[in-house]
Amino acid sequence: MRKRQTHLKKGMQKAVLSASLLLCGTVAMAQSQKSGVITDSNGEPLVGVTVMEQGTTNGTVTDINGRYTITTKKPGAKLKVSYVGYEDRVIAPGQSVRLKADDKTLNEVVVVGYGTMRRKDVTSSITTVDAKDLNTGVYTDPAQLLQGKVSGLVVSNTADPSGTPSITLRGASTLRTGEAQEPYYVIDGVPGVDLSLVSPDDIESIDVLRDATATAIYGSKAANGVIIITTKKGKKGRTNVTYSTYMAFDRVSKKLDVMTADELRAYAKANNFELTNDEGASTDWQKEVEQTGFAHNHNVSINGGNDKTSYNASINYMNREGVVRGTRMNRVNGRALVSSNVLNDHLKLSLGLNASEGHFRSVQMGNEGASVLDGMYYYSPCDPVYNADGTFYEANGISQYYNPMAMISQDRFQHIRRRYQITANAVATIMPGLTWTVNYSYMNHQNMFSGYNSVYSQLVKTNGQASRNTYQGHKQVFETFGNWTKTFNKKHTVGLMAGYSWEEKTDNDGFGVTVYNFYNDDVSWYNLSYANEINGIDGVTSGAEYTLRMISFYGRVNYSYNSKYNFQATLRRDGSSAFGRNNRWATFPSVSAAWRLSEEDFIKNLHVFDDLKLRVGYGVSGNSLGFDAYSALRTYGASGWFTYIDANGNAALRRTLAATSNANPDLKWEKTGMFNIGLDFSFFNSRLSGTIEYYDKRTSDLIYDYPVSTNRYPYGTMTANVGKISNKGVELTINAVPVKTNDFQWQTMINLSHNKNNVEKLSNSQFSVKYIDEANPRIAGFSSTNSIQRIMEGQPLGTFYTWEFAGFDENGKSLFYEHDEKTGERTGKTTNAPQEKDRAIVGCAQPDLTLGWNNTLTYKKWSLNMFFTGVFGNDVYDCTRAQYNTVSNVAAGKNVLKEVASSQHFGDGYAQAPSDRYLENGSYLRLSTLTLGYNFGKIGDWLQGLSVYATANNLFTITSYKGLDPEVSLGGIDPGMDYRWSFYPHTRSYMIGLKVNF
C-alpha cells in the first residue's frame, strides 16, 4: 500500500512539474516581446502612433523611426493601431503596417441649400458645429449656443429670461433694425422657421453659411448669412430612450458701486446741504431687487427604427427664474418625426409635428426712471422699502423716482408665445443619382401680452390699469426641387439642382384693449370687465392684417474633377409682393471654385500638407426681412378727432384720417455682393488644421425713411433705396491636437475675426440726409438734446460723436474742448458749456478683433472643457456711469456712484454730460465656460450610457471697463451702448447635469 502511494506521489509530482513547465511556456509565449514598424501610405515612418493590446490597458507608441515594441499579456493577442488623421487598424503582434489616411473629415457631409455635399468638394465658406461642440449653459435661445464658435459670428448674450441675444455675421449691412439685422434660419430644410421651436437638446448640428456663394441660393433673405439647424432623427436599430437634465444657480457677477446711506449723509454734510428725503433707513436696493436665480431643464427623447421606418419624438421643459425678482420663464417644446421607405425604397415619406409654448414674466424696463433695472441704482438707500403699515414706501415731490420693489410687485407683465409647425416631406429616388424632393410646412404663431398696474402703482395713477392684446399669424412654405449627380470615368462628377418655392405669410392679425379704475387688484388682467372706465376708442388697439407672398425659381450646378478642381454656380429668381410694383422681381447669382492643391504632385512631393485647398467666389444675396405688405404703399391711419354735425344738428366726434406713409413704386431689395477667398489647410497628419478667409462685402440700395416735403408728398418721410455699406474682414480658424497619448488628449480650437465696417453712401440726388443721429443715453439734464452716435458717410456704424472732455477748471468744474464750426477742428480753447458745434468723432463701437478659444482635455473617462471668448479694440459708452455721476441727483434725493465723492465737484452741472469721459475701452477676455464631465459608459444590460457634468459660466473677465459688464450688444445701428434702463445684469452660473441613455 505504502509502495503504491509512493508511486502515486511521484506520478503527481511529475504531472505537476509537467503542467508547470507547460504553463510557464505558455506565459512566456503570451508575454513575448514583439516589434514592428508603422508607416504612412508612402512608406514614411509615423512617430507617436498608439499601439494598444485589445481588451487591456497595455500599450505603447512608435518611436522616431515608426517602430513599436510591445510585450503582450494574452494568448492570441491583437493590437489596435490608431493615429490622428489615419484609419484605425487591427494587427498581429510584430506585424508592420501602412496606415491609410482617414478622409472622414474631408468626406463628412455638409448641409448646403437644398442638398448636401462632401466637405472636400465645398467651394464656399461654411462652418459646421456639432452638438457636442455647442456651448453649455442656461440658454433660452439656440443662437446663444454659437457664441465664440464661428469666426465672424458675433453673439452678445443676455441673462434676461425673456431676452434674446444680439447676433451679427460679418458686420451689420442695413440701416433697419430687428429682423432685418439677423441671419436667416433654416431648420431641417424648412426656411424661415422660428428658433423657439427647437430646444438645444434636439440639435444634431448647426451649419453656418458665411459667404454669398453659399447663401445666394436663399436669395432675398440671406444677406446676413444663413444658419441651418439639423435636428436629431431616428436611426435603424434598437429603441433608444434618452433623458437629460440640468439644474443651475445664477448670481449677479458684479454689483454697481453706489453710495450707502451713511456715505450719502456724509457727502451731504461735507457739502453743506440736507438730504430731502432721509427717512433714516439703510437700504441696499440691489440686494432687495436681486436674488439667486434658479433654472432647471428636462428633456426626454425616444428614437429608433428598422429597415423601413424610423421615428424620433422628444419633449423638453425649461424653467428659469431670473436674478431680478419678478423675471422668469417656462417653456415646453415637443417634436415628433416619423419617416418610412415605400415603393421598394424608392420613396421616403416623412411627417413631423413641432410645438412650443413659452410663458415669460418681466418687470418695468422703461426710460425716464420707469425701470426696475434703473431704480435699484438711483433709489436712495436712506429710504425704506416699506412703510410702517407694510405698504410700499413712496417719496412725493421727486421727479422720475419710483420704488423698484414697488414696481416689481405692482407693475407686472406677461408674454405668452405659442408656436406650432406641421411638416411633410417626400423624397423620390427616380434612378441612381436622381432624386426629387417635395416639402410642405405650415407654421402658426400667437403672441399674447398682459400687463397690470396696481391700484397702488407709483407709475400709473389711474386706480389700477389693465392691458391685454393678442396677435397671431401663419406661414405656409411649399418647395419642390430635384438633385442629380453623376460621375463619369471615375473622375468627372457633375451635380445639378433645380427647384421652385412658394411662400405665403399672414401676420399682424390681432387687437388689444386697455381699461382702468378697478375696485381692487383681485382680478388684475384676468377680467377686464371689472374695470370702471375705458378711454373710448383710444383704449382699443388693432393690427392691420397683411399677407405677403413670394415665389422663387432656383438652381445650382456643380462640377468636380477627381475632387481636385471644383466649380459651383447658383442662380435664384425671387418675386415678392412686399416691394414696389416696378421692382418685385430680383435675381441673385453666385459663382465659386476650389482647387485642392494637396492633390497636385508638386504639393505632394513637399510632404508637408495633408490637405490644402484654395477657394474663391462671388455672390449676391438680398435682404427682404422685416417688411410687411404695406411697405411700398401709401397708407392712412387715424390721426385725431373732429366734431361732426349732421343735418339735424346732432354733434358727434368722428375720426380724422391722415397719411401715415408714402407710396414708392420703385422700392426694391437691399442687395449684398460678397467676394470671398479662403484657404483650408491641414498639417502633421491632420493634428493641425484650419482656415483663413478674406471677404469684401458690399451692400447697396439700403432702405431708410428719408425726409421729404409735404408740399409734394402727403407724408413727411419716404421709404427709399439710397445708401451703401461695406464690410471687409479677415477670419482665421485653427484646430489642433497638441497632445495625444494612450489615456490623455488635448484638443484646442481658436478662431479670430476682424471686420471693418464703413458707411459708403447715405444720399443721392433725390433723397438726402447729411447724417443720422442715434443712441440717446438719456442722461439727466441732456436727455432731449444729445444722441452720442452719428451715422455718416465715410465712418462705420457705431461711430461715437459727442463732446470731448478736457478735465476740470480751477473750480473743479468740467471742461470740454471747443471746435471750429466750419472745420470741425479744435480751436485750442476749452469751455464749461459746450455747444452742438463742439461735438466730434471720439471713438467707435466696432471691435478690431473677436475671439473664441476652446480647449478640451480628456483623460480616460474624464473630460475638462475650457472655453474663452473675447472682444478687443471696441469702445463702449457707459450710460450707467454717466447718469450716476450726476451731482445734482443727490440734492434731488437720489443716489449716485461712490466715485462722485472723490472725483466730482458738488456744483458741477456738467459732470454727467455726454462726452468721451464715459467712453471706455470695451475689450475683454472671459472664461465663458468651464465644464468637468465623467462618462460612465455602458452599465449592465439595461443602461446603455451615463454621463454627468458640472459647468460654471462666466467665471472671470479680464477687462478695464468700469461698468457692470463690457459685453453689450454689438449689432444693430447703435452698437456699444450700455443702456442703464434695459441692461439686465450679467450672471455667473453654476450647473450640474446628467444624460442617461436607456
Side-chain angles (χ1 to χ4, degrees), residues 583-639:
N583 285 300
R584 288 188 169 173
W585 286 89
T587 302
F588 304 96
S590 81
V591 60
S592 58
W595 178 18
R596 288 192 66 211
L597 293 156
S598 54
E599 294 299 303
E600 300 289 357
D601 290 338
F602 67 89
I603 295 294
K604 288 182 178 180
N605 293 336
L606 296 176
H607 301 295
V608 174
F609 298 98
D610 300 312
D611 186 54
L612 185 65
K613 181 168 71 172
L614 177 67
R615 295 177 283 104
V616 62
Y618 178 82
V620 179
S621 54
N623 190 348
S624 64
L625 299 175
F627 285 101
D628 60 34
Y630 307 116
S631 299
L633 303 178
R634 179 180 300 170
T635 58
Y636 293 85
S639 60

Side-chain angles (χ1 to χ4, degrees), residues 107-320:
N107 288 320
E108 73 176 359
V109 175
V110 178
V111 179
V112 297
Y114 307 104
T116 59
M117 297 181 67
R118 292 184 303 175
R119 170 72 64 184
K120 63 182 179 182
D121 294 332
V122 170
T123 59
S124 305
S125 179
I126 301 174
T127 298
T128 301
V129 184
D130 293 327
K132 62 181 177 60
D133 298 320
L134 295 172
N135 290 327
T136 302
V138 183
Y139 299 129
T140 57
D141 189 299
Q144 295 171 299
L145 304 174
L146 289 172
Q147 185 182 38
K149 297 296 183 180
V150 178
S151 186
L153 186 70
V154 179
V155 180
S156 301
N157 278 332
T158 174
D160 185 357
S162 301
T164 56
S166 160
I167 181 168
T168 305
L169 181 62
R170 288 187 167 181
S173 56
T174 182
L175 298 178
R176 297 179 294 127
T177 58
E179 188 182 6
Q181 291 275 354
E182 298 178 357
Y184 190 50
Y185 295 98
V186 179
I187 300 178
D188 289 335
V190 180
V193 178
D194 194 303
L195 276 184
S196 64
L197 282 166
V198 182
S199 68
D201 293 280
D202 289 328
I203 295 175
E204 182 75 26
S205 65
I206 299 179
D207 291 272
V208 182
L209 280 55
R210 297 188 292 161
D211 74 338
T213 64
T215 64
I217 196 66
Y218 288 105
S220 62
K221 299 178 181 180
N224 300 321
V226 177
I227 295 179
I228 301 177
I229 297 177
T230 302
T231 62
K232 295 174 182 176
K233 308 293 191 301
K235 298 177 181 178
K236 177 183 174 182
R238 63 182 296 275
T239 298
N240 293 292
V241 179
T242 302
Y243 170 68
S244 59
T245 183
Y246 68 75
M247 66 176 183
F249 297 91
D250 286 348
R251 298 295 301 272
V252 173
S253 58
K254 183 180 180 181
K255 292 180 179 292
L256 200 64
D257 200 14
V258 295
M259 287 191 185
T260 65
D262 290 341
E263 288 169 335
L264 266 182
R265 295 179 182 116
Y267 181 74
K269 183 178 180 180
N271 289 280
N272 299 314
F273 72 94
E274 291 187 3
L275 297 173
T276 60
N277 56 321
D278 188 349
E279 300 290 346
S282 182
T283 306
D284 185 340
W285 287 101
Q286 293 180 74
K287 185 177 180 180
E288 295 291 335
V289 169
E290 295 169 349
Q291 63 181 359
T292 297
F294 178 68
H296 56 103
N297 184 85
H298 309 271
N299 193 90
V300 178
S301 65
I302 304 173
N303 64 75
N306 54 34
D307 291 335
K308 296 292 185 180
T309 302
S310 63
Y311 57 88
N312 181 78
S314 68
I315 186 167
N316 177 269
Y317 174 75
M318 182 180 188
N319 187 298
R320 184 178 189 184

Side-chain angles (χ1 to χ4, degrees), residues 651-757:
L653 289 176
R654 293 290 185 268
R655 280 285 196 185
T656 57
L657 301 179
T660 56
S661 68
N662 291 313
N664 184 357
D666 296 320
L667 187 68
K668 58 185 177 182
W669 328 74
E670 295 178 333
K671 281 192 174 183
T672 296
M674 189 188 303
F675 169 78
N676 192 94
I677 183 169
L679 185 69
D680 304 329
F681 53 85
S682 175
F683 304 94
F684 310 128
N685 304 312
S686 299
R687 290 184 64 166
L688 177 64
S689 62
T691 297
I692 185 168
E693 309 259 357
Y694 168 79
Y695 61 87
D696 186 344
K697 175 183 173 184
R698 298 176 182 266
T699 304
S700 59
D701 298 324
L702 295 181
I703 296 174
Y704 187 71
D705 293 332
Y706 286 84
V708 292
S709 172
T710 52
N711 292 328
R712 182 177 179 183
Y713 299 98
Y715 190 66
T717 62
M718 172 71 78
T719 303
N721 303 91
V722 177
K724 294 181 179 180
I725 286 181
S726 68
N727 288 275
K728 300 176 183 179
V730 178
E731 299 165 348
L732 174 66
T733 301
I734 298 290
N735 295 280
V737 185
V739 179
K740 181 178 174 62
T741 66
N742 294 341
D743 297 322
F744 178 77
Q745 179 172 284
W746 170 30
Q747 293 178 295
T748 186
M749 180 280 292
I750 187 169
N751 67 74
L752 303 167
S753 61
H754 164 75
N755 180 75
K756 182 176 175 58
N757 177 275

Side-chain angles (χ1 to χ4, degrees), residues 386-464:
Y386 302 100
N387 296 311
D389 61 1
T391 58
F392 284 104
Y393 174 81
E394 181 176 6
N396 296 313
I398 302 178
S399 175
Q400 300 176 12
Y401 190 68
Y402 309 103
N403 184 329
M405 291 299 290
M407 284 190 281
I408 290 172
S409 176
Q410 297 171 351
D411 306 283
R412 298 175 289 114
F413 309 97
Q414 175 180 271
H415 295 262
I416 298 177
R417 304 167 189 164
R418 296 190 177 104
R419 309 283 188 269
Y420 74 82
Q421 177 192 31
I422 299 172
T423 62
N425 169 267
V427 180
T429 303
I430 300 172
M431 58 187 298
L434 176 61
T435 62
W436 195 269
T437 302
V438 177
N439 289 328
Y440 174 77
S441 170
Y442 178 88
M443 291 167 280
N444 180 277
H445 70 268
Q446 181 185 34
N447 298 317
M448 298 176 61
F449 167 79
S450 301
Y452 184 71
N453 306 101
S454 165
V455 296
Y456 306 106
S457 172
Q458 299 179 15
L459 285 173
V460 182
K461 300 291 188 177
T462 56
N463 201 38

Side-chain angles (χ1 to χ4, degrees), residues 528-548:
L528 302 186
S529 65
Y530 278 25
N532 287 292
E533 295 183 61
I534 183 172
N535 192 19
I537 197 67
D538 286 335
V540 178
T541 59
S542 178
E545 182 187 79
Y546 66 85
T547 298
L548 276 177

